[in-house]
């Protein structure tokens, strides 16, 4: 039993390792002078870091994926050969110059004898014999690791199958929740969004009407030359509404009057027609800003006027 699991894991490692070489090759095609900056190969799992200044586009990611899957379906052979370091470098093998190699190195080349080689690297790892054994390759994510270094996470073989199953389940759960088929999800979401917008609009206009009707019928104290001084915190319906929203409506309702509106938090606005709002605020030591006809601010002293 244990042996069986080990073989499975080893196969997963081989698939991921050969796919890593293919990924390295494809990245070299689309990014100038990119270098491998570290990699981790596990059971059908690839973490590949490479130098690159900007994120790959979705189109580039899709292209890499498609190219690698095409190489997998072509069933190209993966050749392992030992040769001298000099021979390997002459053959164009990718080597990491930070690493020390012996006189004799192992070279992994992927290709088809008569056709050109699509990947050649110095490598001591275990690999599949033929690219078709990888089964399938899927990029799961890309992210920045540090400045100028990006990371791709990719799956091969059974991990891709499990990933598809998970995505399928997610899609199914969303469909169930929305009570539609997976193909109808977008349509359904668009419809819900439109409905929500409509409800929001209706709510906004209802809110405005309520505030307007309360303000129109409100009794305020008249004092210091003002027609009305109103503490809106006394009105339960207005308490639930944003002070700024109330002001916008109050501007229309009290157009042409001298009005002070405030709440228990000390938020206030002074609208005036024939009083200099700025000078009035200054005379009362109120902190706020605005023009000669409108002063807004927050100051608890407003309650003492
Ligand atoms: Zn390798």
């Amino acid at each position: 039993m244990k042996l069986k699991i080990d073989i499975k894991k080893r196969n997963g490692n081989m698939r991921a390792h050969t796919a890593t070489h293919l990924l390295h090759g494809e990245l070299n095609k689309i990014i100038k002078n990119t270098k491998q900056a570290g990699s981790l190969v596990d059971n059908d799992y690839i973490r590949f870091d490479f130098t690159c200044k900007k994120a790959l586009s979705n189109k580039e990611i899709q292209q890499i994926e498609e190219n690698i899957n095409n190489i997998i379906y072509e069933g190209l052979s993966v050749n392992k050969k030992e040769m001298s370091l000099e021979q390997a470098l002459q053959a164009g093998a990718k080597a990491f110059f930070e690493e020390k190699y012996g006189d004799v190195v192992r070279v992994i080349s992927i290709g088809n004898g008569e056709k050109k080689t699509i990947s050649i690297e110095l490598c001591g790892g275990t690999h599949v014999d033929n690219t078709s054994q990888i089964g399938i390759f899927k990029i799961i994510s890309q992210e920045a690791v540090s400045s100028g270094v990006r990371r791709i996470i990719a799956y091969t073989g059974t991990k891709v199958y499990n990933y598809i199953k998970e995505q399928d389940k997610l899609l199914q759960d969303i469909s169930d929740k929305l009570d539609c088929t997976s193909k109808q999800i977008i349509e359904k979401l668009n419809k819900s969004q439109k409905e929500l917008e409509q409800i929001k609009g209706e709510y906004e206009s209802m809110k405005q009407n309520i505030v307007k009707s309360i303000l129109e019928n409100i009794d305020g104290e008249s004092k210091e030359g003002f027609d009305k001084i109103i503490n809106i915190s006394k009105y339960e319906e207005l308490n639930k509404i944003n002070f700024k929203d109330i002001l916008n409506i109050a501007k229309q309702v009290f157009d042409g009057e001298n009005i002070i509106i405030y709440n228990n938090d000390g938020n206030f606005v002074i609208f005036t027609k024939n009083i200099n709002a700025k000078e009035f605020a200054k005379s009362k030591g109120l902190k706020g800003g605005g023009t000669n006809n409108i002063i807004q601010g927050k100051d608890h002293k407003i309650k003492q006027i």
Side-chain angles (χ1 to χ4, degrees):
M1 189 64 191
K2 192 167 185 294
L3 189 68
K4 210 175 165 188
I5 291 165
D6 283 346
I7 286 170
K8 266 191 182 174
K9 191 172 180 332
R10 194 167 156 256
N11 286 342
N13 270 315
M14 295 195 315
R15 285 193 287 266
H17 201 151
T18 305
T20 301
H21 285 214
L22 295 177
L23 175 60
H24 195 183
E26 290 303 317
L27 288 172
N28 267 294
K29 274 195 216 164
I30 60 166
I31 311 160
K32 259 191 186 170
N33 302 321
T34 182
K35 281 202 182 80
Q36 181 172 339
S39 83
L40 177 91
V41 173
D42 199 1
N43 192 6
D44 278 325
Y45 175 93
I46 298 163
R47 193 184 78 196
F48 193 82
D49 295 349
F50 55 100
T51 58
C52 185
K53 284 189 187 98
K54 62 178 174 59
L56 297 174
S57 67
N58 288 342
K59 208 176 154 198
E60 285 170 324
I61 291 279
Q62 276 167 11
Q63 192 61 59
I64 291 170
E65 240 179 47
E66 201 177 307
N67 290 350
I68 292 179
N69 280 302
N70 282 335
I71 293 166
I72 292 171
Y73 305 134
E74 265 185 80
L76 302 181
S77 55
V78 180
N79 308 298
K80 301 115 187 173
K81 238 193 237 168
E82 293 203 331
M83 56 180 83
S84 72
L85 181 60
E86 208 189 327
Q87 267 180 311
L89 295 177
Q90 262 174 12
K94 279 192 202 98
F96 305 104
F97 292 99
E98 311 78 73
E99 259 176 54
K100 278 196 178 143
Y101 296 101
D103 292 336
V104 176
V105 293
R106 188 159 173 269
V107 176
I108 305 293
S109 63
I110 303 171
N112 178 341
E114 296 105 57
K115 276 193 195 169
K116 64 172 184 168
T117 301
I118 56 162
S119 161
I120 177 161
E121 285 193 39
L122 299 188
C123 173
T126 49
H127 285 267
V128 294
D129 297 319
N130 188 290
T131 57
S132 64
Q133 288 168 270
I134 298 168
I136 186 165
F137 171 86
K138 176 99 188 81
I139 291 175
I140 304 301
S141 67
Q142 70 149 329
E143 59 179 1
V145 200
S146 59
S147 135
V149 177
R150 300 196 68 81
R151 169 172 294 170
I152 280 180
I153 304 285
Y155 295 164
T156 52
T158 52
K159 261 213 163 69
V160 177
Y161 175 62
N162 289 333
Y163 178 77
I164 291 170
K165 273 201 293 188
E166 272 169 31
Q167 297 289 309
D168 235 25
K169 167 88 172 52
L170 185 66
L171 218 52
Q172 191 56 54
D173 288 350
I174 296 170
S175 305
D176 289 348
K177 192 120 196 156
L178 295 175
D179 195 21
C180 65
T181 66
S182 60
K183 283 205 171 80
Q184 293 167 327
I185 288 174
I186 297 294
E187 195 190 320
K188 193 102 184 186
L189 284 177
N190 282 339
K191 204 176 151 217
S192 300
Q193 215 160 22
K194 257 192 204 149
E195 279 170 3
L196 188 65
E197 286 303 319
Q198 201 192 332
I199 292 169
K200 262 194 197 161
E202 283 168 11
Y203 167 76
E204 253 337 291
S205 84
M206 263 170 67
K207 189 170 84 179
Q208 287 211 6
N209 287 338
I210 290 170
V211 173
K212 210 169 160 192
S213 106
I214 294 172
L215 291 180
E216 277 167 354
N217 295 299
I218 222 159
D219 289 323
E221 218 182 339
S222 73
K223 217 174 164 186
E224 309 244 11
F226 283 87
D227 300 302
K228 278 174 186 171
I229 298 177
I230 306 162
N231 178 2
I232 56 165
S233 292
K234 286 182 187 163
Y235 302 85
E236 210 190 315
E237 293 92 334
L238 297 184
N239 267 328
K240 293 172 197 153
I241 296 164
N242 194 308
F243 190 73
K244 218 174 133 198
D245 289 344
I246 294 173
L247 294 192
N248 289 331
I249 300 164
K251 268 182 208 162
Q252 301 162 27
V253 173
F254 299 117
D255 186 34
E257 295 180 64
N258 298 308
I259 300 284
I260 297 176
I261 296 174
Y262 68 95
N263 66 12
N264 285 346
D265 292 334
N267 292 304
F268 72 88
V269 65
I270 303 168
F271 295 121
T272 59
K273 178 75 181 166
N274 50 22
I275 296 173
N276 187 319
K278 247 184 194 172
E279 273 172 20
F280 175 78
K282 205 175 156 193
S283 73
K284 299 290 177 186
L286 293 168
K287 278 182 224 125
T291 67
N292 287 340
N293 296 105
I294 296 182
I295 295 286
Q296 261 175 270
K298 189 172 178 174
D299 193 328
H300 284 281
K301 283 197 287 293
I302 192 76
K303 291 180 235 167
Q304 284 134 37
I305 291 166

